[in-house]
Amino acid sequence: MAVSTEENKAKSVYRVEGLSCANCAKTFETNVKQLPGVQDAVVNFGAAKITVYGEVTVEQLEEAGKFEQLSVYPEKPEDAGNGSAGRSATENVPFYRKHVQWLVSGLLTALGYASLFGFGEAHALTKLLFGAAIVLGGFRLFATGLKNLARWRFDMRTLMTIAIIGAALIGEWAEGAVVVLLFAASEALERHAMERARKSIRSLLELAPREATVRRGERELSVPVDELAVGDVIIVKPGQKIAMDGVVIAGGGTVSEAAVTGESVPAFKKEGDAVFAGTLNGEGLLEIRVTRRAEDSTIAKIIHLVEDAQAERAPAQSFVDAFARYYTPAIVLLAALVAIVPPLFADGEWSKWLYLGLSVLVVGCPCALVISTPVSIVSAIGSAARKGVLIKGGIHLERLGAVKAIAFDKTGTLTKGTPVVTDYVPFHDQTDRSALLAVIAALEHRANHPLAAAIVRKAEEEGADHAAFRVERFGSVTGKGVRGTVQGSEFVVGSPAWMAELGHRGLSEERLTMAESLQREGKTVILAGTDRELLALLAVRDELRDSAAAAVNALHELGIRQTVMLTGDNRIVAEAIRKEAGMTAAEAELLPEDKWRAVQAMQSRFGNVAMVGDGINDAPALAAATVGIAMGQAGTDVALETADIALMGDDLTRLPFAVRLSRKTLAVIKENIAFSLIVKLAALLLVIPGWLTLWIAIASDMGATLIVTLNALRLLRTGERAAPSAQ
């Protein structure tokens, strides 16, 4: 929904404790929207957050969530309304105080059974004890269920309310009390499952320390991270965690970045290198200049993006929600038919069939069905985030599992993105090797290309002073090379194809053969000369990532039918890199729009296609793919904000892990849905011989909820080498 600029000014985000079901979240959202001063409100059930556009207080929000006894507190202190403490009042409340009504109801139920065995079911004391247990334990349930019933809104609370009140009316006091207890237990289980999945993500934020040692003048002070500003210098001692994103300005040592990138091998950091909040300094003293505020740090951004991703529903979740809308009214109708038809048309006993009808209502509660998908999605996204894979929504998680072909950019994706000069061959013995390299570097210094940067680095390494040569009438031809005048002579530096196009006389068969031989080794060849003769050959190679071949092989083992490299490099180099990486195909000499067309062609052939690139010059191809995957070094905003999925550590082996996780998640969701429906059907079939009881109904519902929840939580422990699910 579009929100006006005025509304954006009054936007506040709050954490919500106690959201145990999607229906409750929807009801809470509706209630908040009806508050005075609120223009709009959006509840993110997976992240347990509500975003409010307008003026509102915490007290008003908690009143809107009173039906579920929701606890609300601002995500940021500045969002607090009147009377807000900024944190949840129930955060450290003991278990017995949170569930006092349930515990007292359980005690009354136990006393009721004691009276049942001592005085009989019809005794007034027995009925009083069970009745008190029902009222106390089910008060909140009845308040919501009766309101829903008045509005003809049939959700699980409505069904349970009808069933429990009906059980009391036909004299089944004991079973009514037990149903109240078991339903409360089922809700507590759902709430615990969702909170565990949510905390698995939020716990990442707590990896960063709350305080940091900052240098102020000549003094070193310990201050809260919220008080640090961009430009402050913080001191991080060996064994301490880095509190803020920044750049090392003094010192050096290994830093474990597992919390952000998922990479277990520590990275060596020196002056000028970026470091991230929540990472661990191994040895050595680091002085770091802060570059981002605490709320803008990489790890904080990951948390917020992952939590927002949970609001984007996967197709499987949308299916379950749509199914539940029709399923619940159908259960109500079936229960009514079971209760009414046999007594009216088959001389059945009213009390017996009313009891069976109520049991149908209980067994038909869609608790397990509704909880199965969101817990799975939240668990999977949290598991991926902890291993350096940022998945931007359930829909992308689901689509990744269906991918049959993957396209890869070459430079910076399959390769390291930092090419080096491997060969420098002057063609004439009398040529001053160092001076010629300096002239070539002087020309390339004015170009904006990774290959040009590699040549400049080569000159600097060999002590060739390119700054000593002034370049005039400089010109650059995209994809071909550069030219310019140095000390009165025109120099040309570019590809062999461009040299041939210019009709250069020095391009002999021997030199072409040398160039092709180097290209077959995966090197890009550059020729340099004047307008009269060729003077030198340079070969530049961008090394394949250490993880590339292993990742491609793992993808093939997972059943990915086609892995294609898309590059702007020449065909010989592309073929050499393709073979080294073990890919099935390569397309070379492509411009960005050509990569876009190549991805579209792959989609027409294979259906679902993923594109892996750097998130910038591959943007058209990433957008065209079913799933766009960015190889983004941690902290790269483009990777975090533009791609459907980002591999935070630039480690391609995370990609097979993500595919496995996606397939396992889909398998778990299907298992949960199938299991929930089979259990419901099996229990409903007990109506035919008249064996279905309220006990069996609530036990089947609670048991199914427990099993699907535990099955979904397994995704939190999914390892990188988990076996792929069968497709």
Side-chain angles (χ1 to χ4, degrees):
M1 155 172 199
V3 181
S4 69
T5 305
E6 192 63 34
E7 290 175 84
N8 274 326
K9 292 180 181 177
K11 173 183 172 181
S12 302
V13 181
Y14 299 85
R15 295 282 180 184
V16 184
E17 285 188 356
L19 278 180
S20 60
C21 68
N23 286 332
C24 306
K26 192 65 180 176
T27 302
F28 179 51
E29 181 179 282
T30 301
N31 292 348
V32 173
K33 285 180 179 179
Q34 294 171 353
L35 292 174
V38 174
Q39 287 85 38
D40 194 19
V42 179
V43 171
N44 182 336
F45 172 59
K49 295 196 300 187
I50 182 169
T51 303
V52 181
Y53 299 93
E55 299 297 331
V56 70
T57 66
V58 168
E59 286 79 3
Q60 288 176 302
L61 293 174
E62 291 191 335
E63 183 65 27
K66 194 174 181 180
F67 71 96
E68 187 70 0
Q69 290 190 337
L70 301 179
S71 177
V72 181
Y73 60 93
E75 186 173 49
K76 298 179 182 178
E78 58 265 30
D79 290 338
N82 296 331
S84 168
R87 287 297 293 174
S88 167
T90 64
E91 197 169 61
N92 297 309
V93 175
F95 174 84
Y96 72 90
R97 290 189 60 188
K98 284 184 180 180
H99 302 284
V100 63
Q101 287 179 291
W102 180 40
L103 293 173
V104 174
S105 178
L107 177 61
L108 290 171
T109 301
L111 292 174
Y113 270 99
S115 178
L116 174 71
F117 294 126
F119 304 112
E121 188 175 2
H123 197 278
L125 179 61
T126 304
K127 292 181 180 180
L128 178 63
L129 289 169
F130 282 132
I134 290 172
V135 172
L136 186 62
F139 178 80
R140 286 168 46 208
L141 167 65
F142 300 149
T144 305
L146 291 172
K147 283 181 183 177
N148 290 345
L149 187 59
R151 299 170 184 168
W152 290 92
R153 183 187 297 163
F154 292 96
D155 62 8
M156 63 186 73
R157 291 172 178 271
T158 311
L159 302 188
M160 294 301 295
T161 299
I162 296 171
I164 294 166
I165 294 175
L169 291 176
I170 63 174
E172 297 291 344
W173 294 94
E175 296 206 27
V178 172
V179 168
V180 167
L181 279 178
L182 292 179
F183 182 72
S186 178
E187 279 203 312
L189 171 68
E190 291 181 26
R191 187 177 293 112
H192 173 73
M194 288 304 301
E195 281 304 312
R196 181 178 171 189
R198 291 162 182 156
K199 285 178 181 177
S200 72
I201 298 170
R202 291 204 296 267
S203 62
L204 291 173
L205 194 56
E206 297 173 4
L207 291 171
R210 302 291 178 92
E211 293 187 341
T213 301
V214 62
R215 177 177 293 150
R216 297 275 168 84
E218 298 298 320
R219 301 173 60 197
E220 293 183 4
L221 306 172
S222 180
V223 300
V225 294
D226 291 338
E227 296 180 11
L228 292 175
V230 173
D232 278 343
V233 175
I234 59 175
I235 312 299
V236 184
K237 298 176 182 178
Q240 289 185 336
K241 287 183 178 179
I242 296 171
M244 303 281 277
D245 282 11
V247 174
V248 177
I249 60 172
T254 57
V255 174
S256 172
E257 297 182 328
V260 175
T261 67
E263 178 56 59
S264 59
V265 179
F268 185 81
K269 298 293 181 178
K270 59 184 184 303
E271 289 184 28
D273 288 343
V275 291
F276 311 107
T279 56
L280 180 66
N281 181 25
E283 80 278 348
L285 186 73
L286 296 178
E287 294 187 21
I288 299 167
R289 189 177 304 282
V290 175
T291 57
R292 285 177 175 166
R293 297 184 302 169
E295 61 267 30
D296 298 325
S297 69
T298 299
I299 199 163
K301 194 177 298 182
I302 290 171
I303 307 307
H304 287 294
L305 287 171
V306 170
E307 288 187 331
D308 291 344
Q310 296 164 22
E312 190 174 346
R313 292 169 176 259
Q317 188 169 350
S318 300
F319 164 76
V320 168
D321 293 341
F323 179 79
R325 281 199 297 270
Y326 297 100
Y327 167 84
T328 307
I331 286 294
V332 174
L333 178 60
L334 177 62
L337 293 175
V338 169
I340 296 172
V341 171
L344 285 180
F345 300 102
D347 296 326
E349 185 181 342
W350 278 100
S351 61
K352 173 187 175 182
W353 288 101
L354 280 173
Y355 178 83
L356 284 171
L358 296 174
S359 300
V360 169
L361 280 182
V362 174
V363 81
C365 279
C367 303
L369 188 64
V370 171
I371 198 70
S372 61
T373 304
V375 176
S376 301
I377 295 295
V378 172
S379 298
I381 290 177
S383 176
R386 293 199 310 276
K387 293 179 176 65
V389 180
L390 179 61
I391 300 175
K392 302 287 288 294
I395 187 170
H396 308 304
L397 177 69
E398 186 165 328
R399 285 176 175 172
L400 182 61
V403 161
K404 300 299 180 187
I406 301 179
F408 293 83
D409 172 49
K410 179 178 78 72
T411 304
T413 300
L414 289 169
T415 62
K416 295 177 181 177
T418 52
V420 295
V421 175
T422 58
D423 300 85
Y424 171 45
V425 184
F427 290 142
H428 305 294
D429 294 337
Q430 67 271 24
T431 300
D432 185 331
R433 175 188 177 91
S434 181
L436 177 58
L437 182 58
V439 170
I440 297 170
L443 286 161
E444 293 288 11
H445 183 65
R446 287 156 177 77
N448 182 22
H449 193 278
L451 299 183
I455 293 173
V456 173
R457 284 195 300 272
K458 174 70 172 178
E460 291 172 349
E461 289 169 4
E462 294 202 0
D465 185 12
H466 60 83
F469 293 92
R470 182 181 177 186
V471 179
E472 299 176 332
R473 293 194 294 274
F474 174 80
S476 174
V477 181
T478 302
K480 295 182 178 180
V482 296
R483 66 196 314 168
T485 302
V486 179
Q487 294 181 343
S489 299
E490 183 179 0
F491 283 85
V492 181
V493 181
S495 67
W498 192 39
M499 292 297 185
E501 186 180 318
L502 294 174
H504 211 291
R505 293 188 300 275
L507 201 60
S508 65
E509 190 68 31
E510 179 184 353
R511 290 170 181 173
L512 280 175
T513 301
M514 180 190 300
E516 290 178 0
S517 175
L518 291 168
Q519 287 173 339
R520 281 193 291 272
E521 296 175 14
K523 300 174 182 179
T524 300
V525 172
I526 297 171
L527 296 175
T530 65
D531 55 346
R532 295 185 301 276
E533 62 178 338
L534 285 180
L535 298 176
L537 174 151
L538 298 98
V540 182
R541 179 178 170 88
D542 189 359
E543 295 294 327
L544 196 70
R545 288 186 184 275
D546 297 335
S547 59
V552 171
N553 182 60
L555 290 170
H556 289 161
E557 290 179 353
L558 284 168
I560 300 298
R561 295 166 55 190
Q562 192 87 347
T563 51
V564 181
M565 182 175 67
L566 306 179
T567 179
D569 216 330
N570 69 72
R571 298 184 184 281
I572 300 175
V573 172
E575 184 62 20
I577 297 293
R578 180 199 72 78
K579 289 180 179 178
E580 189 175 352
M583 306 184 74
T584 54
E587 295 189 32
E589 300 174 7
L590 302 179
L591 297 173
E593 57 267 31
D594 297 325
K595 293 183 180 181
W596 174 73
R597 293 190 190 95
V599 169
Q600 287 192 316
M602 289 175 66
Q603 284 179 316
S604 64
R605 181 180 174 190
F606 298 104
N608 293 308
V609 172
M611 170 68 191
V612 188
D614 62 13
I616 303 173
N617 59 359
D618 297 310
L622 288 168
T626 310
V627 182
I629 303 169
M631 287 289 292
Q633 179 62 40
T636 303
D637 290 337
V638 172
L640 290 175
E641 295 171 9
T642 63
D644 301 324
I645 297 174
L647 307 181
M648 298 301 296
D650 283 349
D651 182 359
L652 278 171
T653 60
R654 298 283 188 270
L655 183 53
F657 158 71
V659 173
R660 284 192 294 266
L661 178 64
S662 172
R663 293 180 179 179
K664 185 171 182 179
T665 303
L666 290 177
V668 166
I669 290 173
K670 291 173 184 176
E671 290 165 6
N672 285 348
I673 292 173
F675 179 77
S676 301
L677 293 176
I678 289 170
V679 168
K680 302 291 183 189
L681 179 60
L684 289 174
L685 289 176
L686 295 178
V687 172
I688 298 173
W691 296 344
L692 183 62
T693 66
L694 283 173
W695 284 73
I696 294 175
I698 193 66
S700 66
D701 181 66
M702 184 179 176
T705 301
L706 173 63
I707 290 172
V708 301
T709 301
L710 293 176
N711 193 36
L713 290 177
R714 287 191 303 120
L715 294 168
L716 287 173
R717 299 189 300 275
T718 300
E720 293 185 35
R721 303 190 184 280
S725 298
Q727 289 295 298

